Amino acid sequence: MKILILGSGGVGGYFGARLIEIGVDITFFVKKERATLIKKHGVNIDSPHGNLHVMAKTLSVGDSKQEFDLVILTCKAYDLKSSLDDLTTVIFGAPVYLPLLNGISHIEYLKNRFGNTKVLGGAAHIASILTSDNIVKQLNPIQILTVGSIGSDLQNTALEFKKICEEANFKIIHTNEILQALWDKWTFLATLAGSTTLFNACVGEITSTTIGANLMRMMYKEALSVAEVENHKVDLKAQKKALDILMKPSSDFTSSMLRDLQANKRTEHEHILGDLVRIGMQKKLELPMLSSAYVNISITVQS
């Protein structure tokens, strides 16, 4: 399987390098400047599971077109359309797309753009950043990819990709309920991002008091109510896993949204918080915590 990864940062760079490590044919679609750095220095991983340096192939706007079997999308949700506009100038054929984006609205966008039979569902569970010296740094040991076919058309493709990943130094999960898996992640991520940006603190600081712990639970309960009304009720096992992280005593765990906010970078608040709040409003749900978090970051990024 010939794979193109859009992006080489915390998600694309990490999983792509791990796949290159076991001999998978990976190319990164990146900007020219990033391509030059990769060609000169390769992709470097700093990880609790072992550091890694690999040389990698790149593709950029203006390069000759190539054909790929699978295109993995790891850009920020707000960059999806423009990134795809650039990417489609350098590929031909009709590859399958595997998005590893936050939220869920990207699924319908991709299906409308490329067709129902060309879009897999996927979720990346990893906390990692691309440092100023171009090292992909993994912030904690979690490293899981979850993939699945949204319909039955791409079941074999999803299973083939899973088989390829099984030798890599990360966990790969295949599920027949990939949309539910995306909702499981979204409700957790919205609570994590919403709480940490609203209080400008890590989860351990927020939940160190009874009041803070209750507010964290309240926000997660609101997110769960949106999932349930959309017929994607999060089961008790997934809820426990999320709360174990959100309520862990003395945890310094935080969200990439807070890190982006503190670095004056663009944030995904519209896709992670805004979309969830808008669905809740349409369904007449009361979401005071999530709405407060969304309003807070909307005002903050404008100031």
Side-chain angles (χ1 to χ4, degrees):
M1 183 181 282
K2 189 176 180 184
I3 299 173
L4 179 67
I5 299 180
L6 192 164
S8 64
V11 176
Y14 186 85
F15 289 108
R18 289 300 186 192
L19 289 171
I20 292 172
E21 184 180 23
I22 60 169
V24 180
D25 187 351
I26 298 290
T27 301
F28 291 105
F29 179 72
V30 291
K31 294 181 179 180
K32 289 285 189 183
E33 181 181 0
R34 178 69 176 149
T36 299
L37 287 172
I38 291 175
K39 288 172 184 175
K40 184 176 181 180
H41 303 291
V43 178
N44 295 280
I45 306 295
D46 180 352
S47 166
H49 300 281
N51 296 346
L52 177 66
H53 171 263
V54 295
M55 300 308 295
K57 296 184 291 185
T58 64
L59 191 61
S60 302
V61 172
D63 291 343
S64 299
K65 290 188 174 184
Q66 296 184 34
E67 188 170 14
F68 297 90
D69 301 302
L70 180 69
V71 177
I72 301 176
L73 307 173
T74 68
C75 59
K76 293 289 190 178
Y78 51 72
D79 277 336
L80 180 59
K81 183 182 183 300
S82 61
S83 296
L84 286 174
D85 289 344
D86 290 340
L87 182 146
T88 50
T89 67
V90 294
I91 61 175
F92 63 87
V96 172
Y97 291 85
L98 171 59
L100 301 177
L101 278 68
N102 294 320
I104 206 166
S105 59
H106 59 276
I107 296 293
E108 283 304 311
Y109 174 79
L110 291 168
K111 287 166 66 176
N112 290 335
R113 182 160 181 166
F114 299 111
N116 291 342
T117 62
K118 291 297 179 183
V119 182
L120 287 167
H125 306 269
I126 187 170
S128 51
I129 58 172
L130 182 63
T131 68
S132 58
D133 50 356
N134 292 296
I135 295 174
V136 177
K137 182 178 178 61
Q138 189 177 6
L139 302 178
N140 64 45
I142 299 172
Q143 48 175 16
I144 305 170
L145 279 186
T146 303
V147 298
S149 176
I150 297 171
S152 59
D153 301 291
L154 294 175
Q155 183 82 335
N156 290 338
T157 303
L159 289 171
E160 181 183 357
F161 180 68
K162 176 182 182 291
K163 186 175 181 180
I164 289 171
C165 293
E166 285 174 348
E167 295 182 24
N169 188 4
F170 59 82
K171 184 176 181 180
I172 179 74
I173 298 172
H174 174 268
T175 177
N176 292 322
E177 300 293 338
I178 187 61
L179 290 180
Q180 183 60 55
L182 291 178
W183 273 95
D184 291 354
K185 180 184 178 182
W186 190 13
T187 52
F188 162 76
L189 187 60
T191 307
L192 175 66
S195 62
T196 55
T197 56
L198 181 60
F199 299 112
N200 193 31
C202 62
V203 297
E205 292 171 324
I206 296 167
T207 59
S208 63
T209 67
T210 301
I211 295 174
N214 287 340
L215 290 174
M216 181 72 81
R217 291 191 186 93
M218 188 184 302
M219 187 177 290
Y220 186 49
K221 187 176 180 180
E222 289 178 10
L224 293 176
S225 71
V226 180
E228 184 169 1
V229 80
E230 286 291 284
N231 298 314
H232 286 287
K233 184 176 181 179
V234 178
D235 66 29
L236 293 178
K237 182 179 179 181
Q239 289 185 39
K240 182 181 184 305
K241 183 183 291 187
L243 286 171
D244 283 347
I245 297 173
L246 294 169
M247 306 299 295
K248 185 177 180 180
S250 303
S251 171
D252 63 355
F253 194 58
T254 187
S255 64
S256 59
M257 191 182 295
L258 179 59
R259 291 192 293 272
D260 288 341
L261 190 64
Q262 291 173 336
N264 294 316
K265 295 181 179 179
R266 192 173 177 184
T267 69
E268 292 183 298
H269 64 280
E270 289 293 350
H271 306 85
I272 296 174
L273 293 171
D275 284 352
L276 201 64
V277 169
R278 282 185 281 271
I279 292 172
M281 291 176 61
Q282 291 170 1
K283 300 294 184 177
K284 310 300 183 183
L285 297 177
E286 294 292 331
L287 307 175
M289 290 299 300
L290 285 171
S291 298
S292 296
Y294 173 57
V295 171
N296 174 66
I297 193 169
S298 298
I299 293 172
T300 303
V301 297
Q302 292 173 4
S303 61

